[in-house]
Amino acid sequence: MVVDSKTERRERGLRRIREEIDWYKTTLKELDKLTTDETKLWAPLMRAQLEQYEKTLRCVEERKPLLASYWSICPEVYRAMDIHYFNVQGHHFQQSQARFVIRELEECDKLGLARDNCSLLRLAMYYIASGLMPTPTMIIHKLEPCDALLGLHEAVRTHKEWRDIPHYSLDPPYWEDDRTLDYYAGEVNGVVSFLEEQTGKKLDVDRLREIIKESNKQYELWAEYNELRRAVPCPHGYDLSAQLYPMVQIFWTGDPRCTAWLRDMVGDAEERVRTKKGWLEREKVRVIWFDVYCIWLRDLNAWLEQEWAANIVMDMSSYCPYTLIDTSNEHTMFKGLGKRTLCDQIMVRQVRGSADRLLSDLQRMIKDHKADAVIPPTHIGHKDQIASLGLIREVCRDAGVACLDMGMVDIFDPRYTTIDEIKDRLSRYLITMGLG
């Protein structure tokens, strides 16, 4: 890798952010020319992502406080304190960046990182090393749920240009009882103290209450939307439903615009259910994607819809097991934020502790969404799921649904198992199981 100056690295990062902004502006212009119900639902999402990049650019150019945070650590606190943040793991994996992924995975390979690590985190390390990720002024780490995340933490903590950046790490206890949650409320309090020290801003508790009340509404609407996705045929496709998670937890947390967008999602789905208008004209297969969303899944999903009349009706990212937060006092709010971060988040929820939660979530998804098939992608970086594959097959067998095990894939690196190979395997499964 070429060694270059701080200035060159900074300019490279800024150039990339400006390219992303241009991409979203162009996409929004195209969407604005269309007036279908679907494009109306997509436009706020594109606007939210554009706004995210514009704020990041402004922070870097004007040298304002910029927080790098791991996913979904009390975003309500950041918003209440008016502190902009970007997601260390996901900054480099937005829809606009799909066009760069292969080239950057090839560059990432040159770092010599172990290929059996999660490529999402390998790419994050590459972005930091190459200067494509903006350098923050403070960092908040999440030390769970996986070993690879700890590897990223160490890479961030020791990188020559990031190691002197002030950082705070929440200490995740193992259990989920009341004593544990009281302890973790103290960790959330530590987040606030850290941010106050770094920015000179003070948390306004009434402002935090206001933000949490708004985010509670968003989680209620998200759950209501998921209820509507139980309908046969399913009212919406997967690409749109997969966007609820980033909208609620990253882009527009506690923002009334997100609440309005969710109401539109619910309203559109309600109308489609009422008129029995499914997303697919003849929905034949209802699929559970039992992992998180990834960029190339858009291609696979389009193929599933077109070739097999199959709709992915639920996945881990879209699942909504979140607890509403009691806003009666500061302690209940911190405790509730801690519970969401420690116990409810995707992957954290399913990976910590025993496999019981993983399997009960799968059973619930299959039953509630009347699934015909489950795809556990067995991502090379998700060793937990690979270890639980036999149990996942057993749950599917007991429920009488097909388990479409694709063999080992890398859901963030389409070179590992190509989309064509995956399509071939799925086609053979679907035919064999009588779903084709």
Side-chain angles (χ1 to χ4, degrees), residues 146-288:
C146 58
D147 291 344
L149 198 63
L150 294 179
L152 175 61
H153 166 71
E154 284 302 301
V156 168
R157 194 180 64 81
T158 57
H159 187 269
K160 63 181 180 180
E161 291 188 11
W162 284 50
R163 63 189 171 205
D164 294 327
I165 298 171
H167 63 98
Y168 177 85
S169 302
L170 290 90
D171 174 30
Y174 188 77
W175 305 110
E176 298 183 5
D177 55 20
D178 208 46
R179 181 165 169 258
T180 299
L181 296 180
D182 280 333
Y183 169 79
Y184 209 63
E187 293 296 287
V188 175
N189 200 12
V191 168
V192 174
S193 300
F194 171 76
L195 293 174
E196 287 181 339
E197 183 182 345
Q198 297 306 317
T199 63
K201 296 181 178 182
K202 292 293 178 187
L203 174 68
D204 180 337
V205 174
D206 289 334
R207 174 64 175 154
L208 178 62
R209 180 176 291 109
E210 182 186 327
I211 297 294
I212 291 176
K213 283 182 177 177
E214 195 69 29
S215 78
N216 277 345
K217 289 180 200 171
Q218 293 166 3
Y219 284 104
E220 287 180 310
L221 287 165
W222 184 351
E224 187 178 347
Y225 177 76
N226 279 358
E227 294 278 326
L228 291 161
R229 288 187 67 80
R230 296 182 185 188
V232 181
C234 187
H236 287 157
Y238 174 60
D239 282 343
L240 191 58
S241 69
Q243 311 308 322
L244 273 74
Y245 164 73
M247 283 290 271
V248 172
Q249 297 203 357
I250 298 175
F251 301 133
W252 279 355
T253 301
D255 187 323
R257 292 176 297 175
C258 183
T259 314
W261 176 72
L262 287 161
R263 285 203 182 96
D264 288 344
M265 289 281 287
V266 169
D268 190 76
E270 276 179 338
E271 179 61 18
R272 284 172 167 269
V273 171
R274 188 184 67 78
T275 57
K276 300 187 184 305
K277 184 179 179 183
W279 175 252
L280 300 177
E281 192 173 338
R282 289 184 309 107
E283 180 183 276
K284 290 176 64 179
V285 188
R286 296 170 65 87
V287 177
I288 303 292

Side-chain angles (χ1 to χ4, degrees), residues 362-363 366-367 371 393-402:
L362 178 58
Q363 287 168 330
I366 291 171
K367 181 181 176 186
R393 288 195 191 109
E394 197 171 312
V395 167
C396 293
R397 192 162 50 244
D398 290 346
V401 302

Side-chain angles (χ1 to χ4, degrees), residues 22-234:
D22 289 344
W23 188 91
Y24 281 109
K25 283 182 175 176
T26 303
T27 303
L28 262 173
K29 276 184 185 174
E30 294 302 314
L31 280 176
D32 287 343
K33 293 176 186 173
L34 306 170
T35 55
T36 66
D37 291 339
E38 187 193 357
T39 55
K40 286 178 185 172
L41 294 174
W42 272 102
L45 175 71
M46 294 293 114
R47 203 161 288 120
Q49 295 186 64
L50 170 62
E51 188 176 293
Q52 171 75 9
Y53 278 109
E54 287 178 332
K55 285 183 177 177
T56 301
L57 180 65
R58 204 153 48 240
C59 285
V60 177
E61 285 185 330
E62 298 175 13
R63 301 186 186 280
K64 290 181 175 177
L66 175 61
L67 172 64
S69 174
Y70 290 43
W71 87 91
S72 305
I73 303 174
C74 316
E76 289 86 354
V77 170
Y78 307 158
R79 180 166 169 77
M81 296 182 73
D82 194 24
I83 294 171
H84 179 62
Y85 90 101
F86 69 87
N87 180 355
V88 177
Q89 300 114 307
H91 172 78
H92 50 290
F93 227 73
Q94 304 302 321
Q95 295 174 59
S96 58
Q97 292 160 329
R99 63 198 192 279
F100 302 126
V101 164
I102 297 297
R103 184 185 73 199
E104 289 172 353
L105 282 165
E106 289 170 354
E107 289 297 316
C108 180
D109 292 343
K110 297 174 185 174
L111 291 178
L113 300 167
R115 292 291 301 274
D116 62 347
N117 265 326
C118 176
S119 289
L120 183 68
L121 305 185
R122 291 172 62 239
L123 273 171
M125 293 180 204
Y126 165 70
Y127 262 61
I128 291 170
S130 63
L132 289 174
M133 192 176 290
T135 305
T137 60
M138 53 198 158
I139 309 168
I140 293 180
H141 297 278
K142 191 171 197 169
L143 303 182
E144 58 177 347
C146 58
D147 291 344
L149 198 63
L150 294 179
L152 175 61
H153 166 71
E154 284 302 301
V156 168
R157 194 180 64 81
T158 57
H159 187 269
K160 63 181 180 180
E161 291 188 11
W162 284 50
R163 63 189 171 205
D164 294 327
I165 298 171
H167 63 98
Y168 177 85
S169 302
L170 290 90
D171 174 30
Y174 188 77
W175 305 110
E176 298 183 5
D177 55 20
D178 208 46
R179 181 165 169 258
T180 299
L181 296 180
D182 280 333
Y183 169 79
Y184 209 63
E187 293 296 287
V188 175
N189 200 12
V191 168
V192 174
S193 300
F194 171 76
L195 293 174
E196 287 181 339
E197 183 182 345
Q198 297 306 317
T199 63
K201 296 181 178 182
K202 292 293 178 187
L203 174 68
D204 180 337
V205 174
D206 289 334
R207 174 64 175 154
L208 178 62
R209 180 176 291 109
E210 182 186 327
I211 297 294
I212 291 176
K213 283 182 177 177
E214 195 69 29
S215 78
N216 277 345
K217 289 180 200 171
Q218 293 166 3
Y219 284 104
E220 287 180 310
L221 287 165
W222 184 351
E224 187 178 347
Y225 177 76
N226 279 358
E227 294 278 326
L228 291 161
R229 288 187 67 80
R230 296 182 185 188
V232 181
C234 187

Side-chain angles (χ1 to χ4, degrees), residues 267-434:
D268 190 76
E270 276 179 338
E271 179 61 18
R272 284 172 167 269
V273 171
R274 188 184 67 78
T275 57
K276 300 187 184 305
K277 184 179 179 183
W279 175 252
L280 300 177
E281 192 173 338
R282 289 184 309 107
E283 180 183 276
K284 290 176 64 179
V285 188
R286 296 170 65 87
V287 177
I288 303 292
W289 174 265
F290 202 46
D291 211 306
V292 297
Y293 185 75
C294 61
I295 286 178
W296 60 255
L297 189 51
R298 295 198 73 180
D299 293 336
L300 185 70
N301 180 50
W303 173 79
L304 282 168
E305 289 182 352
Q306 290 163 13
E307 295 293 324
W308 299 99
N311 194 343
I312 298 178
V313 291
M314 188 49 59
D315 73 337
M316 279 189 186
S317 306
S318 311
Y319 194 53
C320 184
Y322 300 99
T323 311
L324 298 185
I325 294 176
D326 177 357
T327 58
S328 55
N329 59 58
E330 190 170 328
H331 180 69
T332 60
M333 287 193 284
F334 282 6
K335 194 170 177 178
L337 289 169
K339 184 174 187 306
R340 272 189 194 162
T341 302
L342 180 71
C343 311
D344 297 347
Q345 288 294 333
I346 53 168
M347 285 189 61
V348 173
R349 172 182 170 80
Q350 289 95 3
V351 171
R352 293 174 75 243
S354 71
D356 290 349
R357 184 71 59 75
L358 177 86
L359 301 177
S360 63
D361 278 0
L362 178 58
Q363 287 168 330
R364 179 81 185 266
M365 289 182 198
I366 291 171
K367 181 181 176 186
D368 287 354
H369 293 277
K370 304 172 186 66
D372 302 298
V374 173
I375 300 178
T378 50
H379 171 44
I380 189 170
H382 289 169
K383 309 293 189 293
D384 52 287
Q385 189 179 89
I386 295 168
S388 304
L389 189 55
L391 296 170
I392 291 170
R393 288 195 191 109
E394 197 171 312
V395 167
C396 293
R397 192 162 50 244
D398 290 346
V401 302
C403 181
L404 308 181
D405 171 13
M406 299 193 299
M408 197 76 75
V409 305
D410 185 333
I411 61 174
F412 301 106
D413 185 350
R415 301 171 305 167
Y416 189 89
T417 306
T418 68
I419 297 289
D420 286 342
E421 287 177 277
I422 291 170
K423 288 177 181 175
D424 182 57
R425 290 175 193 175
L426 287 179
S427 294
R428 283 188 275 122
Y429 263 120
L430 288 163
I431 292 169
T432 303
M433 300 303 291

